[in-house]
Amino acid sequence: MAAPTSTYRLQFGPHLGLPDAVALTDYLVDLGVGALYASPLLAAAPGSTHGYDLVDPTRADRGRGGERARLALARRLAEAGLGFVVDVVCNHMGVADAAANPWWSDVLRHGPESRYARFFDVDWSAGPLLLPVLGDDGDGGAAAEGELKLADDSLVYHEHRFPLAPGTGHGTVAQVHGRQHYRLVSWRRGAADLTYRRFFNIDTLACLRTEDPEVFGALHAETLRWVREGQVTGLRVDHPDGLADPSEYLRRLRAAAPAAWIVVEKVLGVGEELPAGWPVDGTTGYDALAEISGVFVAPAGRQRLTEAAGLTGTALADVVREAREQVVATMLVAEARRVEALVAALLPRCPAAERADAVRALLVEFPVYRSYLPQHRWALDEAVERAARRRPALREILTAVRDEMVARPTGPLAVRVQQATGPVMAKGVEDTAIYRHNSLVAVNEVGVDPGRFGVSPGELHAANAVREAGWPATMTTLSTHDTKRSEDVRARLAVLSELPEAYAERFRRWSARQPLGDPLLEPLAWQTLLGAWPIGPERLSAYLLKVARETRVRTNWHDPDLDYEDGVTSWPARVLADGSLTAEVRAFVDRIAAPGWSNSLGQKLLQLAGPGVPDVYQGTELWDYSLVDPDNRRPVDFAARRRLLAEIDAGRTPRVDDTGAAKLLVTSRVLRLRRDSPRLFRGYRPVRAEGGAAEHLIGFSRGGDDGVVALATRLPVGLAERGGWADTVVPLPGDADGWVDVLTGAPVRSSAPRVEDLFGRLPVALLVKKRGS
């Protein structure tokens, strides 16, 4: 299983096609990248901006360049000595445009007799396939049914076209509709009445039965051809938690791609490990993100920031439970009902209401995304115990459900429960609760436990040691296409944890002067303005609208409160038009910018030099102040990055300033060293400073006594307040002769150099032994 030395994630879409990536290859080589890591490349829905709405797994997406461009990119990468990692969508397909998806179209036309009928996770015993696409003005979609038309052997509803079963196209529209293997119904019925499994709560992403060997083969044939022919060297598996049996799926994938580097998009809870025996190289790195970013957050700031946000007395656990209960009761009703039907078969004499309560309680209390029975039984046991403590009257039902799942870990009840817990966690926590509890939004991130306010150096060292020992080829990351905000936004906002009083005082004045009108979102809005500054009103408005709807308190995606939303989306323009207030915001950003840059460089160095295979999300080799998608899929100015890198390579040692050149320096020097001298990045040992400011340094060595030493500044505001590094020193491992900082070229002249001397030009250092020393 050959792992790349590093990866660089590119988001293919309207702004970046495969031919563009061919032209970028020389830049990636210059940057030091080990492999290009591509977003999905198989055919996606027309106009797709992300590629996860797969419609045809038999061909490369023409909108991104098609097969010829894909092959040209594979050849160019191979010539340049770069690996090629592709994103594998294994759980679902896009069905918004039936005509674009040959499998789905055939299912609609032929129903249970379609050769693809068993490819999709459809309950054919429930009658016609329900498609929730019709408009609904409170009439259940009755008026919209009158808008259906017949044309070209299709049932047409506005821009949507649905194929007709053979020989059913005669008669009135209503008669023709009634003869189909599907029924077009109100979009509002999607949450509760779907007869097919979907990805989370997205009706237009229909889930597949990838556990079926025929489905697996058809879905992966083209991608595995790329692997067999040596064009693809690595696979990133998207959302394996949605599969019926992730373990068996991964064993099958490994058997088909024995030499490929394989990582899985698996969000681990604190202390959770991948199931033993998974034949993969690791995760996509959210665990590392949580640990590395967390070490730059000051725990002491928690209480004051919580008070400022008006959350004193609001237990985060209660916010999370309330959010999860809400998504189960509203957007994931169909998923819960599917489980309830299986519980009814298990306990036919149990009252329906009690069964429903037990299922909801179990889903709400699951501590992690899912179990993988018979592995991770502890998660199921914990969920049952939590639910039973809160609802003692349900203990007998919950126990019976658990016992059935444990006795038949691949049975229908175990499968359906495990497929349902992930969406509840994702929608309840990631997309709801962490938008409602906004004391410090830097800690509200995918994979981060928002109840864990900061990570100690000891915790990070322990996690890194485990990573190096158990998963040395796992991916690590700081930003992805799914993160709620970029690494640099989080790094800047982490500074607020060191300045809680200064921020709280400004937040009070600013929100009184230009109130958002929603105390729940107010802290998030002001912190976003600070973290993403400078940001225009259009970007900020679009972001706040998405957040407001995800929060699901005053508005939501299905039933938007337009008056409330107008107030939210007009807020950025009001704030930015207030000249004196904007001047105050700018001044405070100026105050936190430099320590934010220090945090950014520190976390970047720790990630790039640490255990695992580091990924660089497109554009983040410079400062990048992006927010949640689609904001983080904006075009990247690669020409500017090329110019800056050339200047650095010509001898410029950049300052830490708003150009971001210092981050490009750190990124390129670490990636090149990993690529050219991989032996230096084996093993792991903490390096600790001595002296009054020792707690402000975090570092480690790798590669033994003549390997590398990575050192970074943490909590820079507190460091400045205590007067700097003063007499603090850092003892280096082994023979101290011959060390040099590869970031600045400065030699190290002591076995225990003063940290102040090491960090004279940058708040980070990467020490290596000179060749021949």
Side-chain angles (χ1 to χ4, degrees):
M1 295 183 245
T5 57
S6 65
T7 60
Y8 190 98
R9 170 76 174 199
L10 286 179
Q11 287 294 118
F12 290 98
H15 304 300
L16 185 76
L18 291 166
D20 301 310
V22 174
L24 283 174
T25 301
D26 61 337
Y27 168 70
L28 298 182
V29 171
D30 290 344
L31 192 60
V33 170
L36 186 155
Y37 163 31
S39 61
L41 297 181
L42 292 172
S48 173
T49 59
H50 48 75
Y52 290 98
D53 42 1
L54 171 70
V55 296
D56 187 351
T58 67
R59 60 180 176 86
D61 188 77
R62 297 189 184 102
R64 287 157 175 74
E67 175 61 12
R68 182 175 297 180
R70 184 203 65 79
L71 190 56
L73 176 58
R75 289 170 176 164
R76 180 69 189 96
L77 293 172
E79 291 169 359
L82 297 183
F84 194 2
V85 180
V86 298
D87 207 330
V88 177
V89 183
C90 60
N91 177 70
H92 52 264
M93 295 187 82
V95 297
D97 184 346
N101 188 324
W103 294 2
W104 187 250
S105 182
D106 197 78
V107 168
L108 297 186
R109 185 179 299 278
H110 298 290
E113 302 305 314
S114 167
R115 63 165 296 197
Y116 301 108
R118 75 169 189 273
F119 279 40
F120 295 93
D121 199 347
V122 175
D123 181 7
W124 291 108
S125 68
L129 186 59
L130 295 185
L131 303 180
V133 298
L134 299 182
D136 190 336
D137 294 325
D139 59 357
E145 289 188 55
E147 300 174 25
L148 299 178
K149 299 177 182 178
L150 295 173
D152 301 324
D153 199 32
S154 297
L155 193 61
V156 180
Y157 179 66
H158 297 299
E159 73 276 16
H160 303 287
R161 303 178 71 88
F162 304 91
L164 301 182
T168 64
H170 56 281
T172 67
V173 173
Q175 290 170 335
V176 171
H177 185 199
R179 298 188 189 110
Q180 302 313 308
H181 298 290
Y182 55 84
R183 291 292 181 273
L184 307 183
V185 298
S186 163
W187 63 267
R188 293 185 182 276
R189 295 183 63 181
D193 298 333
L194 279 190
T195 52
Y196 63 92
R197 188 169 60 88
R198 56 190 173 161
F199 174 71
F200 292 177
N201 64 324
I202 304 175
D203 300 339
T204 55
L205 294 178
C207 287
L208 295 160
R209 295 184 60 255
T210 316
E211 66 272 19
D212 185 316
E214 183 181 358
V215 179
F216 177 95
L219 184 64
H220 294 82
E222 182 68 356
T223 301
L224 292 174
R225 178 180 70 83
W226 302 346
V227 174
R228 284 195 309 275
E229 295 179 2
Q231 299 159 9
V232 164
T233 57
L235 303 172
R236 180 261 193 194
V237 178
D238 180 65
H239 189 54
D241 277 354
L243 302 175
D245 189 344
S247 302
E248 178 58 29
Y249 167 83
L250 293 169
R251 285 191 287 270
R252 189 174 289 141
L253 185 65
R254 172 56 72 195
W261 180 63
I262 301 177
V263 291
V264 292
E265 185 205 19
K266 170 59 188 168
V267 179
L268 296 170
V270 176
E272 183 186 9
E273 298 180 357
L274 282 178
W278 275 16
V280 300
D281 293 282
T283 73
T284 52
Y286 285 112
D287 43 337
L289 180 157
E291 293 146 4
I292 295 169
S293 292
V295 86
F296 296 91
V297 174
R302 181 175 195 164
Q303 181 175 345
R304 186 68 185 98
L305 291 174
T306 301
E307 293 170 354
L311 294 170
T312 302
T314 302
L316 177 59
D318 292 338
V319 174
V320 168
R321 180 175 291 106
E322 180 182 343
R324 294 177 65 159
E325 287 173 344
Q326 182 182 18
V327 301
V328 171
T330 56
M331 67 177 66
L332 298 176
V333 175
E335 288 69 22
R337 285 181 176 173
R338 195 170 290 123
V339 175
E340 289 169 28
L342 294 168
V343 175
L346 176 68
L347 303 170
R349 296 185 179 181
C350 179
E354 292 182 16
R355 291 196 303 260
D357 286 348
V359 168
R360 288 194 291 267
L362 179 64
L363 298 181
V364 166
E365 296 296 343
F366 228 78
V368 290
Y369 274 75
R370 66 168 284 169
S371 54
Y372 305 90
L373 296 175
Q375 299 181 75
H376 284 204
R377 176 182 166 173
W378 63 268
L380 175 60
D381 288 340
E382 186 172 328
V384 168
E385 185 56 33
R386 285 183 180 183
R389 281 200 305 267
R390 292 185 61 82
R391 302 287 301 277
L394 301 176
R395 182 177 289 276
E396 185 176 348
I397 304 172
L398 291 164
T399 300
V401 169
R402 181 200 60 198
D403 291 348
E404 169 64 17
M405 292 174 63
V406 170
R408 278 167 278 280
T410 60
L413 180 59
V415 168
R416 291 308 188 195
V417 169
Q418 291 177 112
Q419 287 177 321
T421 56
V424 175
M425 175 70 83
K427 301 308 296 182
V429 181
E430 284 181 25
D431 291 346
T432 304
I434 66 172
Y435 285 135
R436 294 181 179 180
H437 199 273
N438 297 309
S439 57
L440 179 66
V441 300
V443 302
N444 289 4
E445 190 51 85
V446 180
V448 178
D449 179 356
R452 189 188 193 194
F453 199 95
V455 173
S456 71
E459 289 177 277
L460 176 59
H461 288 314
N464 272 342
V466 169
R467 191 171 293 117
E468 173 63 14
W471 301 96
T474 189
M475 180 182 282
T476 66
T477 191
L478 292 176
S479 298
T480 78
H481 61 285
D482 279 333
T483 43
K484 302 304 183 185
R485 50 197 62 82
S486 73
E487 61 202 61
D488 294 321
V489 173
R490 294 197 308 273
R492 182 187 288 176
L493 291 177
V495 179
L496 301 185
S497 68
E498 294 196 80
L499 294 170
E501 288 293 344
Y503 163 73
E505 187 274 331
R506 285 164 176 78
F507 171 65
R508 179 186 58 77
R509 285 192 294 106
W510 295 345
S511 58
R513 178 163 173 167
Q514 290 290 353
L516 178 65
D518 184 347
L520 192 67
L521 287 188
E522 198 101 38
L524 180 144
W526 287 104
Q527 288 185 33
T528 301
L529 181 63
L530 293 172
W533 184 275
I535 183 171
E538 296 82 7
R539 278 183 62 208
L540 188 52
S541 290
Y543 169 76
L544 291 177
L545 178 60
K546 179 171 183 173
V547 169
R549 289 180 174 177
E550 294 284 18
T551 305
R552 298 180 182 87
V553 176
R554 300 278 297 276
T555 190
N556 59 61
W557 293 103
H558 283 173
D559 294 295
D561 182 329
L562 299 182
D563 290 337
Y564 164 78
E565 291 184 354
D566 284 345
V568 170
T569 56
S570 63
W571 180 83
R574 295 200 311 271
V575 170
L576 295 175
D578 187 330
S580 59
L581 187 151
T582 302
E584 285 191 35
V585 171
R586 184 182 297 110
F588 192 62
V589 170
D590 289 343
R591 180 176 177 182
I592 65 175
W597 292 333
S598 176
N599 289 342
S600 285
L601 296 177
Q603 65 182 7
K604 200 68 172 177
L605 177 66
L606 296 183
Q607 182 228 353
L608 296 180
V613 176
D615 176 57
V616 177
Y617 184 73
Q618 62 175 30
T620 59
E621 62 269 35
L622 291 184
W623 308 139
D624 179 83
Y625 296 99
S626 294
L627 303 170
V628 74
D629 70 288
D631 193 67
N632 59 18
R633 294 199 299 266
R634 290 172 297 144
V636 175
D637 187 347
F638 285 107
R641 286 159 175 77
R642 286 181 188 270
R643 288 193 300 270
L644 271 177
L645 185 57
E647 292 175 11
I648 293 169
D649 288 344
R652 170 187 170 188
T653 301
R655 296 179 299 171
V656 183
D657 58 20
D658 58 4
T659 66
K663 191 179 183 189
L664 183 58
L665 170 72
V666 170
T667 302
S668 62
R669 273 35 185 180
V670 183
L671 292 186
R672 290 175 183 179
L673 192 61
R674 290 193 74 121
R675 177 191 63 195
D676 299 338
S677 302
R679 68 169 186 83
L680 298 177
F681 294 89
R682 296 171 186 156
Y684 185 87
R685 188 164 55 189
V687 170
R688 295 181 172 87
E690 297 176 356
E695 67 172 339
H696 293 281
L697 183 136
I698 183 164
F700 51 77
S701 67
R702 307 194 66 197
D705 290 344
D706 60 349
V708 298
V709 175
L711 304 170
T713 303
R714 62 183 295 266
L715 309 184
V717 174
L719 175 66
E721 289 175 347
R722 72 173 310 280
W725 294 105
D727 61 348
T728 306
V729 299
V730 55
L732 299 177
D735 183 355
D737 292 338
W739 290 100
V740 63
D741 183 358
V742 298
L743 302 179
T744 64
V748 179
R749 305 188 186 281
S750 168
S751 61
R754 287 161 45 95
V755 178
E756 188 172 52
D757 295 335
L758 291 176
F759 291 167
R761 298 167 76 176
L762 296 171
V764 294
L766 182 66
L767 310 183
V768 298
K769 286 290 186 74
K770 291 181 181 177
R771 289 185 178 179
S773 62

